[in-house]
Amino acid sequence: MSSKFKGKSANRPDITRAALDPEQSTVHSKMELVSKTLFAPFNNKKKDSSRILTDLAPVIMTPRMINAAATVSSRSQSSLGASAPGGSRLDFATLGRAPMRLTLGTRRITSRDLQIIEATDELLDAEIPEAGGIASDVSLLRGFNATVPSSEKNRTRRKQMRNVETPRIGLKKLGMSARGMMIEDEEERSIASEEDMVVVSRLDERGKRKGKRRGRESLSSAKALGKDELRRQTQEIILDKENLHVRRSLINSEIAEINNKIKALDSIRGSLEQDLLKLHEDELELDDELEGVQERIEFEEAAFRQSDNTKTAPAPHVAPSRRRRGPVFLPSEHDELPPGVAFMTLESHLTPIAALDFSEPYGTLVSTSQADSQPRLWDLMTGSEIGRLRGHRGAVKCIQVEDNLCLTGAEDGSVRLWDLRLVDEEEWERSGLADVAEEDEGAAYDGELVEKPNGIRSNEPSEAGTADQAGPCIRLFEGHSKAVTALYFEDECLVTGASDKTLRQWDLATGQCVMTMDILWAISHPQSTITGAGIPNHTFPSAAASAGHFAVPTPPSADGSWDMYEDFVGGVQFWGYGLVSGSGDGAVRMWDMRTGQAHRTLMGHTGPVTCLQFDEMHIASGSLDKSIRIWDVRTGGTFETLKYDHAVTALQFDTRKVIAATGENNVKIYNRTSMQHSSLSTNGHTQPVERLRYMDRYLVSGGRDAAVKIWTL
């Protein structure tokens, strides 16, 4: 209390004079006296604390804030700087929100009581980012000074210093005239001679020149700058050059930044293009799936009609697996397999795999190896061998499996049709070596080939093209004089190609040879030959031997191994009445099955064609020339060419990919939408792959290591 009264008594003379003076009492009101009394401690301008509080007085001097200010003023200096756990530090935000209380006690409020606590240590420890690249040696201040408009003032000043006052000569008019009609006024034109002389021409009435020619001094000699000015200009020029260097560095830095942004945008664009290709691939997959669903609808409708009227309704048509599109039925556990891995290996063969095919994923597989006359049957669900197909007297060269039917062609020139449901596993296990003895007896029997009227040759004269109905072989086709190396059947039609350089068309229902197409005759009587881009129109030299034995060495594989290739017909396939064949002369021929004539020859390969596939739009052919060519059926031209390091021995393609065996230990995959190459090698073959076959996400391959691998795609 004493301090309060002491504070009031210190200003009592002013209050007393204001109260005793009558004139002042009439002017000042009671509120003004109270205001003057309250603001008396802040009238001292000498100290910073009084000045700060005077500036803040109109804002903070409210009754509520006056009552709360005592709490702030009573805090120690240490409490202001300390930050206790869970507490808050006094800053501008706290100062603006918290009510303050100011008292009129003896202790004067100073600026330290209202200090602002800043994170000075953190700011000092923080790293200031510097410009990278070319502008790393340019500070922010120099960059600012070099780019502001005031940096050009020195150059402008120097230009003004070099301006010289001269008589009016009309330069502006000359410039306007030059930009317009390019006509100059001769009367106002100034002419400068080589000696820096100017002559103002004036003509008299008779057209003669008036006056005399006089010289003038140079403009530079009319004005003296002085040493100080020249030194100043020297410093300015040096500074301008430094500014130019800084600006150049900044521009180069911006260019580098733009280049980085362009690279980033290119990366984003590449990613978007990949996404677009993925969408295109998904669209193709959906198209195949839709076609597969439509085929399934037709099949189930035909099966339903057949169940209603078994006698009259025909059997439902099933498209061959090589033309079947869309997803196939797979076990639910298949999705748990990692893609691109050989998850199953079938090891029973002793020599390199020569041919293989299967009915469906996890169905029945038929495979054969070189010098093996008994193809083996496998259960792909368990990976076990369930039987063998006995009957051929030579090594089996080609196989096709459709559902429960299997066709095999062998070196003995025969083709056999098998019913896989009739293969008895128990009998095969029980027979043992006895079957081998019977096979030797059958091989010793070499009956005379009897020529049938329909062109079928049979070892049994009493039966025309039929086999033992008690066994799995239900029909025998004999007509070729050499090894059957390629075959393809669909519905009731079968086409075979052999090393006797002929193609034969068979009727599966009757066993008759419907037509024979001679490749040698087609070579000697070419119809329409279409040459691939950049490929000379010629045939493979070894194929020119029209009647001799065909045999060419294969290019070395990845392991250096090679063999003699003797299959003159590498592949056949038909679609409707159109037949396509690939032969040892490197040509892909298109035949009309109604007339038996080759109406188009596609030349492009420089080696024998070893494999091919045909659909309604494209033909894919592989050759010993280490390439795969995709032909456009409509134009006959090469649609796409894939180059490899070794010979191509097997391929299969669809709208999205091409899978091939190319003389290496892995399986090659080419994505037709993204045009990217990849390979399958995890847990794969130890020697080059020779044969392959896939459906949807299921792939089977056979290699020179005598192993059969099952892959997931």
Side-chain angles (χ1 to χ4, degrees), residues 447-518:
E448 182 182 358
L449 295 178
V450 179
E451 186 71 24
K452 300 292 180 179
N454 57 8
I456 299 179
R457 297 177 181 179
S458 176
N459 285 342
E460 301 177 3
S462 60
E463 299 180 5
T466 61
D468 186 7
Q469 296 296 328
C473 182
I474 58 178
R475 190 167 296 280
L476 175 66
F477 304 88
E478 288 189 321
H480 289 288
S481 60
K482 291 186 178 181
V484 178
T485 57
L487 60 85
Y488 181 80
F489 81 93
E490 181 178 340
D491 295 336
E492 300 298 327
C493 181
L494 166 67
V495 175
T496 58
S499 294
D500 59 4
K501 304 179 180 62
T502 61
L503 304 176
R504 288 178 179 261
Q505 178 182 351
W506 309 81
D507 188 339
L508 284 179
T510 62
Q512 294 182 350
C513 179
V514 179
M515 185 180 298
T516 300
M517 291 160 276
D518 193 347

Side-chain angles (χ1 to χ4, degrees), residues 554-568:
T554 62
S557 301
D559 60 350
S561 61
W562 64 279
D563 202 351
M564 294 299 295
Y565 183 78
E566 300 178 354
D567 300 342
F568 187 79

Side-chain angles (χ1 to χ4, degrees), residues 12-260:
R12 182 169 297 178
D14 296 335
I15 300 175
T16 305
R17 286 192 299 269
L20 295 177
D21 190 354
E23 297 178 357
Q24 293 292 334
S25 61
T26 58
V27 177
H28 297 284
S29 64
K30 184 178 180 179
M31 292 300 297
E32 291 176 342
L33 293 175
V34 175
S35 176
K36 187 175 182 180
T37 303
L38 292 175
F39 287 113
F42 309 111
N43 292 331
N44 186 8
K45 299 290 184 176
K46 295 181 179 180
K47 294 187 177 181
D48 294 337
S49 60
S50 301
R51 181 175 54 81
I52 293 175
L53 291 177
T54 302
D55 296 337
L56 295 176
V59 180
I60 65 177
M61 296 303 294
T62 61
R64 183 180 178 185
M65 298 180 69
I66 290 175
N67 295 330
T71 305
V72 179
S73 62
S74 62
R75 292 181 182 177
S76 60
Q77 179 64 27
S78 60
S79 64
L80 292 173
S83 58
S88 61
R89 307 176 70 174
L90 186 61
D91 51 8
F92 268 126
T94 307
L95 183 63
R97 293 194 305 266
M100 301 180 63
R101 187 175 67 181
L102 300 177
T103 63
L104 300 177
T106 57
R107 185 175 182 273
R108 186 180 298 276
I109 302 299
T110 63
S111 61
R112 302 190 65 178
D113 295 331
L114 300 175
Q115 67 175 346
I116 301 170
I117 307 301
E118 296 181 351
T120 54
D121 296 336
E122 291 81 353
L123 292 177
L124 291 176
D125 293 338
E127 295 183 0
I128 301 176
E130 297 290 343
I134 303 174
S136 59
D137 57 341
V138 178
S139 65
L140 182 61
L141 183 59
R142 290 184 61 191
F144 177 76
N145 291 332
T147 55
V148 295
S150 61
S151 62
E152 298 289 335
K153 63 182 181 180
N154 293 333
R155 179 179 297 181
T156 304
R157 193 189 66 82
R158 292 195 302 272
K159 288 182 179 179
Q160 293 177 355
M161 291 293 295
R162 289 191 292 268
N163 290 340
V164 181
E165 295 294 335
T166 58
R168 190 72 177 178
I169 56 180
L171 295 178
K172 182 177 181 180
K173 184 176 181 180
L174 290 176
M176 296 296 294
S177 177
R179 286 183 295 174
M181 301 301 295
M182 302 299 293
I183 299 175
E184 298 180 354
D185 190 358
E186 296 293 340
E187 296 181 356
E188 298 182 359
R189 182 179 177 183
S190 62
I191 303 175
S193 64
E194 295 180 357
E195 296 81 10
D196 201 7
M197 306 291 290
V198 176
V199 178
V200 180
S201 300
R202 293 184 180 179
L203 302 178
D204 56 7
E205 296 177 354
R206 292 176 296 177
K208 295 183 179 181
R209 187 186 305 274
K210 280 187 178 183
K212 296 181 179 180
R213 182 179 180 183
R214 64 175 183 176
R216 64 166 179 85
E217 296 180 354
S218 176
L219 295 178
S220 61
S221 62
K223 192 171 185 179
L225 299 178
K227 293 183 178 180
D228 295 337
E229 176 63 25
L230 294 177
R231 292 193 188 97
R232 180 180 178 182
Q233 291 187 7
T234 301
Q235 297 297 328
E236 291 177 354
I237 293 173
I238 294 175
L239 180 60
D240 290 344
K241 291 182 65 177
E242 292 180 356
N243 290 339
L244 290 178
H245 172 71
V246 172
R247 295 171 66 180
R248 183 185 296 110
S249 300
L250 294 176
I251 292 175
N252 289 331
S253 178
E254 291 182 3
I255 293 175
E257 183 178 358
I258 291 174
N259 291 334
N260 293 332

Side-chain angles (χ1 to χ4, degrees), residues 510-578:
T510 62
Q512 294 182 350
C513 179
V514 179
M515 185 180 298
T516 300
M517 291 160 276
D518 193 347
I519 299 178
L520 294 181
W521 188 91
I523 294 176
S524 59
H525 300 80
Q527 299 294 324
S528 175
T529 302
I530 299 178
T531 305
I535 302 298
N537 184 8
H538 67 280
T539 58
F540 194 72
S542 299
S546 57
H549 178 67
F550 174 78
V552 295
T554 62
S557 301
D559 60 350
S561 61
W562 64 279
D563 202 351
M564 294 299 295
Y565 183 78
E566 300 178 354
D567 300 342
F568 187 79
V569 179
V572 293
Q573 188 175 350
F574 59 86
W575 189 290
Y577 293 107

Side-chain angles (χ1 to χ4, degrees), residues 256-326:
E257 183 178 358
I258 291 174
N259 291 334
N260 293 332
K261 290 181 180 180
I262 292 175
K263 292 180 181 179
L265 292 176
D266 289 339
S267 177
I268 295 174
R269 178 177 179 176
S271 178
L272 293 177
E273 289 177 349
Q274 292 297 325
D275 294 341
L276 190 62
L277 292 176
K278 184 63 170 60
L279 292 178
H280 180 58
E281 187 173 355
D282 293 341
E283 182 181 7
L284 295 176
E285 184 177 359
L286 290 176
D287 292 339
D288 294 343
E289 185 175 0
L290 178 61
E291 185 173 349
V293 170
Q294 293 175 350
E295 292 178 355
R296 187 68 184 180
I297 291 174
E298 295 176 358
F299 171 77
E300 293 186 359
E301 289 178 352
F304 179 76
R305 290 193 299 267
Q306 186 181 16
S307 62
D308 291 343
N309 191 354
T310 308
K311 297 181 179 180
T312 59
H317 171 73
V318 179
S321 59
R322 284 175 172 78
R323 283 174 44 190
R324 200 175 303 158
R325 295 183 179 180

